[in-house]
Amino acid sequence: MRKEQYQIPQVEFVFRESGEFVTRTSAELFDGKRVVIFSLPGAFTPTCSAYQLPGFEEKYDDFIGCGIDDIYCLSVNDGFVMNAWAQDQNIEKVKLIPDGNAYFTRSMGMLVMKSNLGFGERSWRYAAVVNNGIIEKIFVEPGQRDNAAEDPYVATTPEAVFEYVTSTVKVGATA
């Protein structure tokens, strides 16, 4: 698993935009910014759809107010699925990143088998604050393993990540 103070994986993501396939690199998404990224097992799944994605969307402006430049949601799903999920969830602020080939997830050390649920390979649930491509802080749900019977959602909530982000805000700092 990638650890704090290490660079995020350098991969290409394939998005679907305006009827075309568009490739973006990790550098394009992460360099020169301080962002929150959270990854989850799959679009349209219950916890991800009811709590995690809408929770980060709801707190988006609070994160921006604390010096975060953007929030990314990543899943081992293709661009078509991620776009449909964003539309279904009325997501306007959080950016969804399709990791359909699982290149990023595998390189992060977060790829797990979920064949017990019929999902195949998916991401374990995690979140991170990434500063200029370097993992500043990472949050990982306990029990990471293939075919886990449980899918915990405690360490990667918007509230848990926001608590860390607010702890890094320098009070009285001026630009």
Side-chain angles (χ1 to χ4, degrees):
M1 175 179 25
R2 295 267 172 138
K3 300 194 182 311
E4 293 169 5
Q5 304 310 311
Y6 283 82
Q7 184 177 44
I8 58 159
Q10 298 301 301
V11 302
E12 290 184 344
F13 299 99
V14 181
F15 290 80
R16 187 73 179 169
E17 297 175 358
S18 302
E20 301 290 328
F21 289 105
V22 177
T23 302
R24 289 203 169 61
T25 65
S26 298
E28 289 176 76
L29 296 172
F30 295 96
D31 287 3
K33 302 177 207 169
R34 185 173 185 231
V35 302
V36 169
I37 182 171
F38 63 99
S39 189
L40 37 78
F44 294 101
T45 56
T47 301
C48 306
S49 294
Y51 304 106
Q52 199 166 19
L53 179 57
F56 275 100
E57 178 79 1
E58 184 178 307
K59 290 193 81 55
Y60 184 91
D61 292 331
D62 295 334
F63 277 97
I64 300 303
C66 289
I68 294 297
D69 295 305
D70 222 334
I71 299 177
Y72 300 143
C73 171
L74 183 135
S75 184
V76 180
N77 288 115
D78 61 66
F80 291 103
V81 170
M82 295 299 274
N83 289 346
W85 190 36
Q87 183 176 3
D88 179 75
Q89 294 284 302
N90 297 312
I91 301 302
E92 297 178 358
K93 299 174 182 177
V94 173
K95 312 295 187 300
L96 277 66
I97 300 176
D99 189 21
N101 295 317
Y103 295 152
F104 189 88
T105 302
R106 181 176 285 110
S107 294
M108 281 292 290
M110 294 295 180
L111 193 65
V112 294
M113 183 59 72
K114 288 189 157 281
S115 57
N116 60 324
L117 301 176
F119 285 10
E121 293 181 315
R122 295 297 178 110
S123 179
W124 188 253
R125 197 182 302 276
Y126 71 92
V129 176
V130 178
N131 196 343
N132 195 27
I134 304 297
I135 300 167
E136 175 183 322
K137 179 73 174 171
I138 192 162
F139 308 81
V140 180
E141 295 296 344
Q144 181 184 356
R145 66 188 174 286
D146 288 338
N147 295 313
E150 306 212 357
D151 181 22
Y153 178 57
V154 178
T156 61
T157 65
E159 295 78 16
V161 178
F162 189 68
E163 183 178 332
Y164 167 76
V165 169
T166 59
S167 76
T168 66
V169 176
K170 294 177 177 47
V171 178
T174 59

